[in-house]
Amino acid sequence: MANEEQQQAWAAQGIDWVDNAATFEAVLAPFADAVMEAADITAGQRVLDIGCGSGTLLQRTADLGAIPFGVDISEPMTDAARRRVPEATVILGDAQTMDLHRAAGGASFHRVISRFGVMFFDDPVAAFTNIRTATAPGSRLAFVCWREGDNPMFTAGTDVLAAKLESPPAALDPTAPGPLAFGNPERVRAILTNAGWNDIALEAFDGVCNFGIDGSDGVEERLALILANRTGQQARAELEARLGADGWAGAVEELRDELRRQRVDGVVQFPGRTWVVTAIA
């Protein structure tokens, strides 16, 4: 089965994402803005959101008077998207292999968008070929993905827990399905070219990931996301077993102190280095 490992992973990760949806919404807002600007959506257009998550871009699409259609492999996230945007069509499925035309009732899409949702295909050329066949001629693709190089989203604070583990999680492979898979611009161009897309462009975009919500300093918000990710989950299982509940609580407090030291202008915030990618079918 295509993308089976990612489907299993996101069945669990989707719960954490939905539980922390307000934080993700705020922290990733600049990147949603960048995608929507690049997509240039107008009223009446049919818009396909790949990896729609809990519905951020679907809501923005509906607010523009366009017709939103979302696909995601995570059931908790598609359930959340349906609740948030009841006027959208949201399908639990794999955009690499599913018949997107059929799922949309035979209609073609005028826009394809994604915020950090396209980097998880095990065969990205096949996936983007399948997506392109569901679009009308001249349709526009616009997505944002993490850029190669230093990205504090994956290290800030997380490194405190990783240093305590006997076997820390392996570094993310930039060529394997995962958040950094589209970091290299030449790889992205090759994938889209081989999938039949034209006029491919990548623009560097550095948004600020600001964890300060409703006047907070962002420490607890960043802490919650770290404890929910794979390093945080592994750290809790290992350190509680090795050090006991008090030892784990001490490790969490050490992480909290480190996040306080990393505040900028009193708030946990750092750059999110991305590509905004566009292409034409």
Side-chain angles (χ1 to χ4, degrees):
M1 181 187 300
N3 299 318
E4 182 174 5
E5 182 177 344
Q6 292 297 324
Q7 291 183 43
Q8 293 174 353
W10 281 101
Q13 291 179 42
I15 296 173
D16 295 326
W17 188 285
V18 172
D19 287 345
N20 294 287
T23 301
F24 280 116
E25 182 85 8
V27 171
L28 300 181
F31 311 102
D33 293 341
V35 171
M36 296 304 290
E37 181 178 353
D40 191 26
I41 295 167
T42 58
Q45 291 180 325
R46 287 182 293 276
V47 181
L48 174 62
D49 182 3
I50 304 296
C52 66
S54 55
T56 297
L57 298 190
L58 295 176
Q59 183 65 69
R60 293 190 180 209
T61 296
D63 291 345
L64 292 172
I67 304 167
F69 185 101
V71 177
D72 203 290
I73 60 175
S74 171
E75 186 170 9
M77 297 177 82
T78 54
D79 288 345
R82 293 187 190 106
R83 291 192 298 269
R84 179 177 180 179
V85 195
E87 63 268 45
T89 300
V90 182
I91 300 296
L92 174 65
D94 183 355
Q96 179 173 314
T97 57
M98 71 183 299
D99 187 337
L100 295 166
H101 257 307
R102 182 177 180 182
S108 294
F109 295 101
H110 305 107
R111 294 289 186 272
V112 178
I113 58 176
S114 183
R115 184 196 63 180
F116 303 123
V118 297
M119 304 94 71
F120 303 94
F121 299 117
D122 57 19
D123 188 341
V125 173
F128 277 96
T129 300
N130 188 49
I131 292 165
R132 180 181 54 77
T133 62
T135 64
S139 296
R140 186 173 182 83
L141 167 70
F143 66 83
V144 64
C145 57
W146 298 108
R147 201 162 79 235
E148 63 185 355
D150 178 41
N151 249 312
M153 179 61 80
F154 305 104
T155 57
T158 303
D159 48 7
V160 173
L161 293 182
K164 296 179 179 298
L165 298 176
E166 293 180 347
S167 299
L172 293 170
D173 183 348
T175 64
L180 301 182
F182 277 24
N184 182 283
E186 295 311 313
R187 182 168 191 259
V188 175
R189 289 191 182 93
I191 288 168
L192 294 178
T193 298
N194 291 336
W197 293 87
N198 302 299
D199 300 333
I200 299 160
L202 289 86
E203 295 290 337
F205 174 74
D206 291 348
V208 176
C209 299
N210 187 327
F211 286 80
I213 299 175
D214 295 331
S216 79
D217 66 358
V219 169
E220 295 306 315
E221 289 81 0
R222 177 62 180 170
L223 178 66
L225 296 194
I226 292 172
L227 296 182
N229 71 21
R230 63 173 184 154
T231 301
Q233 292 173 356
Q234 179 182 341
R236 179 165 192 166
E238 180 179 320
L239 297 180
E240 273 193 328
R242 177 152 48 92
L243 305 176
D246 289 344
W248 167 243
V252 172
E253 192 57 35
E254 183 180 336
L255 170 55
R256 186 177 280 113
D257 288 342
E258 177 60 24
L259 292 174
R260 291 188 183 113
R261 286 190 289 272
Q262 292 184 9
R263 289 177 296 189
V264 177
D265 296 329
V267 178
V268 176
Q269 55 183 316
F270 45 72
R273 299 183 174 94
T274 70
W275 296 116
V276 175
V277 182
T278 56
I280 303 297

